[in-house]
């Protein structure tokens, strides 16, 4: 997390005024994220065992077992809630209710974080509804609160992640699904993790969600408005992934930002009958 990210957001706001509101909220929250210094500790596994696990397709951690600084994430979650509930938003009342809840029940945030990391959609939806909050907002806040920990962890294990030879449809660090893809200068495809921002190589003619590699069932449609943006889809499992072609796009911003400003591609994909690539 750095000032560089804030500069990139500012540039993107100029380039994509349509997404100004979403990007401004993100920018505000990133400033809080910069103030957190999480402590991450994890046991270094035996190198030999690690190599075997990588070859067998085991990610370094599972989402539930990620060694994150939950205390730092909980404090940050409170700060983000305080900030957002002080703004004029449609869900101001719900955010205030959630803030009152976390102030009186510290266990509440821990439960949200556990449900989020376990992909336990039912619990998240129930907890959000109890506050009259949109589940997507609750998930977004939880994810943002965990980001400093996830970044620190990612940096500390970067040597152990094999970005170019992983070859699986899930993240080598945390096992999560990809939320975006890009084609590099050589036309090779890489995925971006929905949770920890890791990137890894994956063959272009293969669906990461069902491993289908039948060319007739795989395809893509391109965005009409901007060159280099497209949606790759699989007719077998009806899922899709948004893809950026770096051979065409000039000075692209990080994928976590691109994901925010390509909601129109998600809408197009849904209109064509494809399902969200995420589990929820
Ligand atoms: Zn990941
Ligand atoms: Zn598929």
């Amino acid at each position: 997390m750095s000032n560089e990210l804030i500069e990139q957001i500012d540039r993107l706001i100029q380039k994509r005024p349509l997404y100004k509101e979403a990007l401004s909220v993100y920018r505000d929250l990133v400033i809080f994220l910069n103030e957190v210094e999480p402590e991450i500790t994890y046991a270094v596994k035996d190198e030999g065992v690690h190599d075997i696990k990588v070859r067998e397709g085991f990610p370094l951690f599972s989402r539930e077992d990620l060694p994150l600084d939950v205390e730092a994430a909980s404090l940050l979650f409170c700060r983000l809630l305080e900030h957002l509930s002080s703004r004029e938003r449609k869900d101001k009342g719900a955010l205030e209710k959630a803030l009152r809840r976390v102030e009186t029940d510290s266990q509440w945030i821990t439960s949200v974080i556990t449900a989020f990391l376990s992909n336990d959609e039912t619990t998240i939806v129930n907890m959000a509804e109890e506050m009259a909050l949109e589940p997507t907002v609750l998930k977004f806040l939880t994810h943002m609160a965990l980001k400093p920990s996830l970044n620190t962890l990612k940096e500390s294990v970067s040597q152990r992640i094999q970005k170019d030879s992983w070859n699986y449809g899930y993240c080598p660090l945390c096992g999560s699904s990809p939320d975006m893809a890009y084609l590099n200068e050589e036309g090779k495809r890489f995925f971006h993790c929905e949770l920890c921002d890791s990137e890894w190589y994956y063959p272009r003619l293969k669906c990461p969600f069902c491993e289908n590699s039948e060319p007739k069932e795989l395809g893509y449609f391109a965005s009409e408005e901007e060159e280099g943006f497209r949606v790759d889809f699989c007719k077998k499992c009806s899922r899709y992934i948004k893809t950026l072609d770096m051979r065409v796009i000039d000075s692209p911003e990080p994928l976590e930002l691109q994901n925010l400003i390509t909601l129109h591609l998600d809408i197009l994909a849904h209109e064509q009958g494809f399902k969200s690539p995420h589990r929820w």
Side-chain angles (χ1 to χ4, degrees), residues 207-212 218 234-239:
C207 169
F209 306 112
C210 73
E211 299 193 340
N212 172 31
L218 298 167
C234 168
K235 287 184 191 163
K236 193 173 170 195
C237 70
S238 299
R239 296 218 247 175

Side-chain angles (χ1 to χ4, degrees), residues 171 173-176 193-198 200:
C171 172
L173 193 162
C174 74
S176 299
C193 174
E194 62 176 354
L195 181 69
C196 75
D197 289 329
S198 289
W200 72 97

Side-chain angles (χ1 to χ4, degrees), residues 241-255:
I241 187 140
K242 295 182 287 189
T243 304
L244 268 64
D245 191 341
M246 301 302 192
R247 294 167 300 183
V248 180
I249 299 168
D250 233 11
S251 60
E253 281 77 17
L255 292 195

Side-chain angles (χ1 to χ4, degrees), residues 255-270:
L255 292 195
E256 62 174 296
L257 298 180
Q258 297 289 354
N259 196 19
L260 284 179
I261 58 140
T262 48
L263 293 179
H264 52 290
L265 293 181
D266 291 292
I267 293 167
L268 272 178
H270 287 278

Side-chain angles (χ1 to χ4, degrees), residues 181-244:
Y182 69 89
L183 305 178
N184 74 359
E185 296 296 324
E186 298 159 13
K188 279 187 174 174
R189 178 162 73 165
F190 287 82
F191 284 147
H192 170 262
C193 174
E194 62 176 354
L195 181 69
C196 75
D197 289 329
S198 289
E199 294 176 358
W200 72 97
Y201 167 77
Y202 196 75
R204 273 171 73 169
L205 276 175
K206 193 172 173 183
C207 169
F209 306 112
C210 73
E211 299 193 340
N212 172 31
S213 55
E214 177 54 58
K216 281 196 203 114
E217 292 174 327
L218 298 167
Y220 70 87
F221 56 85
S223 164
E224 284 172 10
E225 291 114 52
E226 64 257 287
E227 230 191 332
F229 287 73
R230 65 187 226 187
V231 173
D232 286 66
F233 57 78
C234 168
K235 287 184 191 163
K236 193 173 170 195
C237 70
S238 299
R239 296 218 247 175
Y240 71 92
I241 187 140
K242 295 182 287 189
T243 304
L244 268 64

